[in-house]
Amino acid sequence: MSTQPVSHPPVVRALWVLVAVLFSALVALVAGILSGAAGSTLPEAALHAGGAFAATLPLCLTVLSALGAL
């Protein structure tokens, strides 16, 4: 049994990164909506959404890298 990692084509890696970006955008959208529903102003909700995106994207990329998809 070979223990060498599988090398994926660049297109597959790009699609996985796109999935991570879209998932992070979805998390940011939900965070912004929930923040706005809790009574935050629009700029505060945008900051919460940006923070959620900035926290989620590296986490997703780290998980994908650990799983060997990147």
Side-chain angles (χ1 to χ4, degrees):
M1 185 165 107
S2 176
T3 59
Q4 295 179 352
V6 177
S7 178
H8 297 290
V11 174
V12 174
R13 289 187 206 146
L15 288 174
W16 277 118
V17 170
L18 179 63
V19 167
V21 168
L22 290 175
F23 179 74
S24 299
L26 178 65
V27 169
L29 179 66
V30 170
I33 290 171
L34 289 176
S35 178
S40 296
T41 63
L42 185 61
E44 289 173 338
L47 283 175
H48 287 131
F53 182 84
T56 306
L57 185 60
L59 179 65
C60 289
L61 294 177
T62 302
V63 169
L64 287 173
S65 181
L67 292 175
L70 295 182

